Amino acid sequence: MKLFLDTAEVKVIEALSETGLVDGVTTNPSLVAKAGGDFFDALAAICRAVAGPVSAEVVATQADAMVAEGERLRRVADNIVVKLPLTFEGLKACRRLKDKGHPANVTLCFSVPQALLAAKAGAMFVSPFIGRLDDIGEDGMALICDIRTAYDNYGLDTQILAASIRSEAHVRQAILAGADAATLPPPWFEAMVKHPLTDKGLAAFLDDWAKSGRGGLV
Ligand code: G3P
């Protein structure tokens, strides 16, 4: 399962990439606006920091203009994936970009039928938004499970990218649901490594070692 960072903060991405555990990055217009600075400079820096896919979203709403923006984004780096909204215009752009050799991440997916259309349009990734479904009283994680079933039933190779992750439970459930990837806000990525018993156990091991009078191993 791939782990992506859901942020446009270059310094945060660079720091967390040092773990060797970051497989890619997703951005969206809201995250880019929040990060500030020059969009294309930031995107180039992000693409240098991670070897894997970096999703960058178009802001046009018509297919022709989306394709033009997608081609512009793809000129930033080879690992750019063009992020497109799940509309008919976005799906048309997805197909056209795919036919020209450009990968796409179809975003703002909230239903199984939408996910099927994204796969038929040739998307490399589909991004179901778990948290935003939970916000309206629906079960976001059930959607991940249902898309997994649908894609497996029909042998569709679009990768399910669990997005809008808002809790540790979302992270755990996305792993168990068979999502191909999850994109995590940095605090949830950092939380993955933490468990109080790990900290407690390590403190006890080191304490016992120190009490034995031994030093470092090298
Ligand atoms: O990248 C899109 C997605 O992860 C947004 O999450 O928390 O704004 O719903 P959120």
Side-chain angles (χ1 to χ4, degrees):
M1 183 187 185
K2 298 180 184 97
L3 295 175
F4 297 163
L5 291 176
D6 197 24
T7 179
E9 303 284 350
V10 178
K11 292 211 175 315
V12 173
I13 293 165
E14 287 171 345
L16 289 175
S17 292
E18 285 176 16
T19 61
L21 298 167
V22 175
D23 298 306
V25 170
T26 56
T27 66
N28 64 38
S30 304
L31 292 171
V32 170
K34 189 174 157 207
D38 181 84
F39 175 46
F40 287 103
D41 285 350
L43 212 48
I46 293 169
C47 290
R48 284 193 297 273
V50 295
V54 174
S55 291
E57 191 158 343
V58 303
V59 290
T61 55
Q62 298 302 302
D64 287 347
M66 288 172 165
V67 170
E69 288 188 355
E71 288 175 326
R72 169 68 185 92
L73 290 167
R74 283 277 297 161
R75 283 200 290 277
V76 172
D78 287 344
N79 53 335
I80 287 282
V81 173
V82 182
K83 209 169 173 190
L84 299 158
L86 214 158
T87 60
F88 274 131
E89 291 301 309
L91 295 173
K92 275 156 61 179
C94 179
R95 170 52 60 195
R96 286 185 208 164
L97 285 164
K98 159 109 179 172
D99 290 346
K100 293 176 175 211
H102 303 303
N105 171 3
V106 173
T107 189
L108 292 166
C109 175
F110 295 95
S111 74
V112 171
Q114 285 184 321
L116 181 73
L117 294 177
K120 287 176 75 72
M124 174 179 277
F125 296 104
V126 67
S127 293
F129 277 27
I130 299 165
R132 293 192 195 186
L133 276 172
D134 289 357
D135 287 347
I136 60 164
E138 293 191 22
D139 183 352
M141 199 49 63
L143 177 61
I144 302 288
C145 296
D146 289 348
I147 297 172
R148 178 76 283 151
T149 300
Y151 281 8
D152 289 350
N153 282 348
Y154 294 101
L156 299 168
D157 61 6
T158 295
Q159 297 174 56
I160 303 169
L161 202 183
S164 187
I165 283 181
R166 307 266 183 80
S167 67
E168 212 164 336
H170 282 159
V171 178
R172 179 170 41 81
Q173 289 164 353
I175 296 167
L176 292 173
D180 298 288
T183 187
L184 313 179
W188 293 119
F189 179 83
E190 291 169 310
M192 283 184 78
V193 78
K194 291 180 188 151
H195 194 286
L197 291 180
T198 303
D199 296 340
K200 190 178 169 192
L202 180 59
F205 288 156
L206 295 181
D207 194 42
D208 289 343
W209 184 263
K211 280 182 194 149
S212 77
R214 294 176 169 88
L217 300 184
V218 289

